[in-house]
C-alpha cells in the first residue's frame, strides 16, 4: 500500500524555539492533513490542505502542501510546553487517508 | 468533544477472553474506521465500514471482527485475546466528502 514517511521521528526542543517537520511519499496525494495526538487521547485535526502549493496557518502552526503533491510540511513557531505530543500527517490516496508514523515532539522548559 | 463517542474508555480483561468495543460516529457521518495503536507506535488501520457495509480492510487479525449497524454505530469484536492485543483502539468517522477524519478518544484495552 501507499506509505508516508515522517521526519524527524522524534525531537526535543527548548521552549520558545521554532519546530519544523515534514511528511514525504513516493506517491501523489490529493489532500494532506496534520493531526496532533496528546497522551491517552485521540488525534485531533490541526490543519487540512487541499491544493498543491497551499499554505495554511492555524495560530502558531503553519502547514504547506508541497508543489509536487508528494510532501507536506508543518512548522510550529515559538513552541510552548502544551505543544508536546505526536504529530501525524495523513494523505488522501484514492478514497481513504494514509497515516504517517508520526513525529514525537518534546518541549523542554 | 469531537462528536465521535467510544465506549468503554478503559477495559481490562484476561487472555483468551472476548471483548466488544463500541463507536458512535459524528452525526451525519456514514463512514467508520477502526485503528489500533500499540505503545509508542503509529496508527494501524484495521477496517472501514460505510453505511453498514465493509469497505476496506487493513491489518486486521482473523480473531478480530467488526460491523456497522443500521443506526451507523459500529462495534469491534476482539476474541481469544492475547497479551499483545493490549493497545489503544480508535474509531474515526468521516462524511461523504471525506475531507478529513474525526477521531474518538479511544478505548484502552489491557490484556492480563
Amino acid at each position: 500500500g501507499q506509505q508516508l514517511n515522517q521526519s524527524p521521528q522524534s525531537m526535543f526542543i527548548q521552549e520558545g524555539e521554532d519546530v519544523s517537520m515534514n511528511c514525504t511519499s513516493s506517491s501523489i496525494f490529493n489532500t494532506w492533513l496534520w493531526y496532533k495526538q496528546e497522551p491517552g487521547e485521540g488525534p485531533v485535526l490541526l490543519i487540512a490542505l487541499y491544493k498543491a502549493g497551499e499554505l495554511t496557518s492555524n495560530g502558531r502552526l503553519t502547514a504547506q502542501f508541497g508543489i509536487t503533491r508528494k510532501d507536506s510540511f508543518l512548522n510550529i513557531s515559538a513552541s510552548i510546553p502544551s505543544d508536546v505530543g505526536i504529530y501525524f500527517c495523513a494523505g488522501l490516496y484514492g478514497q481513504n487517508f494514509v497515516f504517517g508514523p508520526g513525529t514525537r515532539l518534546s518541549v523542554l522548559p | 468533544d469531537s462528536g465521535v463517542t467510544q465506549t468503554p474508555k478503559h477495559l481490562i480483561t484476561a487472555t483468551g477472553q472476548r471483548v466488544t468495543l463500541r463507536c458512535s460516529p459524528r452525526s451525519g457521518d456514514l463512514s467508520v474506521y477502526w485503528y489500533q495503536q500499540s505503545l509508542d507506535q503509529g496508527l494501524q488501520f484495521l477496517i472501514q465500514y460505510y453505511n453498514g457495509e465493509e469497505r476496506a480492510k487493513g491489518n486486521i487479525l482473523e480473531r478480530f471482527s467488526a460491523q456497522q449497524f443500521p443506526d451507523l454505530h459500529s462495534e469491534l469484536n476482539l476474541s481469544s485475546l492475547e497479551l499483545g492485543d493490549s493497545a489503544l483502539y480508535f474509531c474515526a468517522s468521516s462524511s461523504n466528502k471525506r475531507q478529513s477524519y474525526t477521531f474518538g478518544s479511544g478505548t484502552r484495552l489491557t490484556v492480563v
Side-chain angles (χ1 to χ4, degrees):
Chain A
Q2 305 310 314
Q3 205 164 349
L4 294 180
N5 303 304
Q6 285 191 248
S7 66
Q9 191 174 8
S10 64
M11 54 194 317
F12 292 82
I13 61 166
Q14 210 71 36
E15 182 178 355
E17 288 183 356
D18 296 344
V19 174
S20 290
M21 60 186 78
N22 66 53
C23 186
T24 60
S25 175
S26 58
S27 301
I28 290 175
F29 290 87
N30 297 317
T31 296
W32 287 97
L33 307 177
W34 284 93
Y35 286 86
K36 177 190 176 187
Q37 183 184 23
E38 298 187 6
E41 298 296 326
V44 174
L45 183 65
L46 298 174
I47 292 179
L49 302 159
Y50 300 112
K51 286 173 59 175
E54 181 180 353
L55 186 71
T56 299
S57 293
N58 178 5
R60 295 178 296 104
L61 278 61
T62 301
Q64 184 162 24
F65 191 142
I67 291 176
T68 65
R69 294 166 62 195
K70 294 181 179 181
D71 54 15
S72 180
F73 308 89
L74 177 69
N75 295 314
I76 305 173
S77 63
S79 59
I80 59 178
S82 63
D83 290 333
V84 166
I86 305 175
Y87 291 79
F88 291 103
C89 64
L92 181 63
Y93 189 84
Q95 297 190 4
N96 289 320
F97 282 98
V98 176
F99 283 81
T103 290
R104 184 179 296 274
L105 177 64
S106 300
V107 180
L108 306 173
Chain B
D1 182 8
S2 68
V4 178
T5 303
Q6 288 189 248
T7 56
K9 193 160 178 64
H10 301 277
L11 198 50
I12 301 175
T13 189
T15 54
Q17 295 298 304
R18 171 190 168 96
V19 297
T20 296
L21 312 184
R22 182 187 168 104
C23 169
S24 293
R26 204 175 50 162
S27 178
D29 287 356
L30 299 179
S31 283
V32 168
Y33 308 80
W34 285 97
Y35 287 84
Q36 179 192 56
Q37 186 179 39
S38 300
L39 187 64
D40 292 337
Q41 298 297 311
L43 298 162
Q44 298 299 315
F45 170 64
L46 296 178
I47 197 163
Q48 176 204 355
Y49 279 83
Y50 175 81
N51 203 20
E53 294 191 1
E54 182 184 304
R55 264 298 167 91
K57 243 179 180 176
N59 299 320
I60 187 166
L61 299 172
E62 284 191 14
R63 299 184 286 110
F64 296 179
S65 65
Q67 53 185 330
Q68 186 179 28
F69 295 87
D71 67 351
L72 301 178
H73 91 270
S74 179
E75 293 182 355
L76 179 67
N77 301 297
L78 315 176
S79 62
S80 303
L81 285 167
E82 302 175 359
L83 295 177
D85 297 328
S86 295
L88 272 166
Y89 290 85
F90 289 105
C91 164
S93 72
S94 71
S95 67
N96 274 348
K97 291 184 181 179
R98 291 191 191 88
Q99 292 200 328
S100 67
Y101 291 177
T102 302
F103 283 84
S105 56
T107 293
R108 179 176 293 280
L109 173 67
T110 303
V111 182
V112 297

